[in-house]
Amino acid sequence: MFSNSKKTNPPAAAKQQPPSILSAGLTVNGDLNSEGEMQIDCLVNGDVTAGRLAIGENAKVIGEVVAEHVLIRGEVVGRIRAKSVELDKSAKVRGDIWHELLSIAAGAKIEGLCKFAENPREGAGTTKLSVVQLPEAVDAPADKPAQKPHKTSQTAAATDIGSLPGLARATS
């Protein structure tokens, strides 16, 4: 009755922002950064950083992808660093995937390493990918094509997959 307490309204919940959408037909040359959600349906030549990221089926990202959660339906050429990575059946990835959680649908294509990391987003952007030219190609005269490095031939023994530890042969 005689208390001096003031009624305070609880702070309004942070309003959920709509996702940033990059539509098909657009070409982005440069890095994209967002703390929120992003949907990419176009070509991006640069690194992409977002809280949540969805890469559409006809989209292509050439650069590093860093996100808390990432869903890939399109193509990524570059490293992916995310807490949760989901590759849909139409996904094509050429680069390493650093993840805590990884989901790969049947049909997804990966050319690179998948590596578990406690905090995959840490250290992102510290190393850039670059094209390295072999010394043989640099020293080759203009009138003579560069020679490929000599490979040593190794004969692969015909190994029955069932004899490898941890692998079993499917029988029908």
Side-chain angles (χ1 to χ4, degrees), residues 34 37 39 63 78 88 92 115 126 129 143 146 148 153 164:
S34 172
E37 190 172 347
Q39 166 75 33
D88 197 36
K92 296 175 194 157
K115 181 177 179 175
T126 55
L129 300 176
D143 61 336
K148 293 182 181 176
S153 63
L164 296 174

Side-chain angles (χ1 to χ4, degrees), residues 58-113:
N58 297 315
K60 183 174 185 177
V61 175
I62 302 171
E64 184 174 41
V65 171
V66 180
E68 190 70 21
H69 302 283
V70 64
L71 167 63
I72 301 173
R73 292 188 175 106
E75 186 174 355
V76 175
V77 179
R79 180 177 29 216
I80 299 170
R81 289 178 173 265
K83 182 175 182 176
S84 171
V85 179
E86 184 178 347
L87 302 178
D88 197 36
K89 63 183 178 184
S90 57
K92 296 175 194 157
V93 175
R94 285 188 291 161
D96 296 346
I97 302 172
W98 293 39
H99 60 87
E100 258 185 61
L101 300 169
L102 177 63
S103 172
I104 304 172
K109 295 169 181 65
I110 304 171
E111 187 178 322
L113 300 173

Side-chain angles (χ1 to χ4, degrees), residues 14-22 32-40 48-55 65-71 82 121:
K15 210 174 189 185
Q16 185 101 15
Q17 296 293 324
S20 299
I21 300 175
L22 301 171
L32 297 172
N33 295 301
S34 172
E35 291 181 11
E37 190 172 347
M38 190 182 308
Q39 166 75 33
I40 297 176
V48 179
T49 303
R52 295 182 67 87
L53 177 65
I55 298 174
V65 171
V66 180
E68 190 70 21
H69 302 283
V70 64
L71 167 63
R121 295 180 69 183

Side-chain angles (χ1 to χ4, degrees), residues 5 22 72 82 85 107 117 122 127 131 133:
S5 64
L22 301 171
I72 301 173
V85 179
E122 286 182 9
T127 56
V131 177
Q133 194 171 13

